Amino acid sequence: MLNIYKLYNDKDNLLYIGKTKNIHQRINQHLAEKNKISWKSTIDKIMIAEVDSDIDLELYETYLINKLK
């Protein structure tokens, strides 16, 4: 399964947009690394979208990053 995800803080500010083939493993990595990364606040909400192909994964991530900067 291919996923695009967005991480938000408790004020609903977008912190990160990413892509992964293993959403559970990737989110766990973010949570484990949050002290190493200069997040401005903690992760409060995670939005996940499934996509059908590697091409869609790349396109959707790039689109979201450019649209939501």
Side-chain angles (χ1 to χ4, degrees):
M1 192 175 329
L2 306 170
N3 299 105
I4 298 291
Y5 61 96
K6 297 182 284 184
L7 305 178
Y8 292 88
N9 66 11
D10 60 346
K11 294 181 173 130
D12 214 29
N13 295 319
L14 181 63
L15 300 172
Y16 188 83
I17 297 172
K19 62 186 175 197
T20 187
K21 294 181 180 180
N22 186 330
I23 191 68
H24 297 291
Q25 179 182 20
R26 187 64 184 116
I27 296 302
N28 284 335
Q29 287 173 336
H30 279 296
L31 295 174
E33 295 172 350
K34 75 178 181 179
N35 293 328
K36 297 177 188 174
I37 300 172
S38 61
W39 297 116
K40 295 185 174 155
S41 60
T42 60
I43 297 168
D44 188 62
K45 180 171 69 172
I46 303 167
M47 302 290 290
I48 301 168
E50 292 181 20
V51 296
D52 296 324
S53 69
D54 287 330
I55 292 171
D56 289 340
L57 190 67
E58 296 296 328
L59 291 173
Y60 193 32
E61 181 196 35
T62 301
Y63 169 77
L64 287 173
I65 289 170
N66 288 321
K67 182 176 180 174
L68 302 174
K69 282 186 187 178

